[in-house]
Amino acid sequence: MKTTEYKRVARMTPAMRIIHWVNVISMVVAIITGLYIAEPYYQTLIAEPAVDKYVMAWNRWGHFIVAIIFDVTSIIVAYLYFFSRFEQPWKKVIPTGKNIKEFFAVLVNLLTLNRSKNFDSTHSDSFNTVYFTIFHLLLAWMLFTGLQLYVHGLESGLSSIGKWWPAMLHLVTDWTIPVSGWMIGGGPTATLMDVRIVHHYTMWLIIVWVVFHIYYQVWRTIFWKEGDIAIVIGGDKFVKADKKA
């Protein structure tokens, strides 16, 4: 006779959980302010016309601040991606036979509504790791294109902290103009507007990513019954450990 027992498995460190929720809040602020910068949609809600001129400035400031937060967390995540002592996700992205087999096993599990589960769900699987890698690549692209849009606001080549700041931003982000032009068909005639359009489209890709991410975590919690949705709160999940009575 077998009895089903559960064992607690650590899945997220406190640092990664903090980064996760900081990113959630920052993303909400970035989307709200970014949409306003593109097309002011709550200007009419301001009761006093005298302060209307500051609404765009505050939105740009808030957008820039959360972008800086994303910069910092992205650097931390990139470091932990390769050098974490808890878990190194890059090992799951390498297309080895084992990783490819696990990736498709998880995908089949999703498509068949858990009728086939030929992988170990104790650890972070290849499918989820690849999915999160895509998110961070999208986020990096948003940061580079966003900084390109920002530096073009410093047309004089000056900033409050010196000429080195806009010069450095041009050095590391000017490549986004031809790349953006290539992505939307602008080619050699690419302009800053191409960067603006691609930046906006990427925001929608990230929103789609988030929707599926939330859906999948709820899906796993319901079908696997291992408490996956609680990982970002307590850091742990529970997996079945069948033992003979």
Side-chain angles (χ1 to χ4, degrees), residues 98-117:
K98 180 180 178 182
N99 286 341
I100 293 173
K101 181 179 179 181
E102 183 180 61
F103 179 93
F104 285 104
V106 178
L107 181 60
V108 169
N109 175 256
L110 173 64
L111 296 177
T112 61
L113 302 179
N114 200 41
R115 287 184 175 86
S116 174
K117 191 165 185 272

Side-chain angles (χ1 to χ4, degrees), residues 135-173:
F135 168 72
H136 287 103
L137 291 174
L138 288 173
L139 187 58
W141 174 246
M142 282 292 278
L143 293 173
F144 280 115
T145 53
L147 287 173
Q148 172 65 200
L149 296 173
Y150 164 77
V151 74
H152 271 271
L154 306 174
E155 297 177 0
S156 64
L158 299 174
S159 72
S160 60
I161 56 177
K163 293 183 179 180
W164 68 271
W165 173 241
M168 184 190 72
L169 291 181
H170 276 295
L171 180 65
V172 299
T173 67

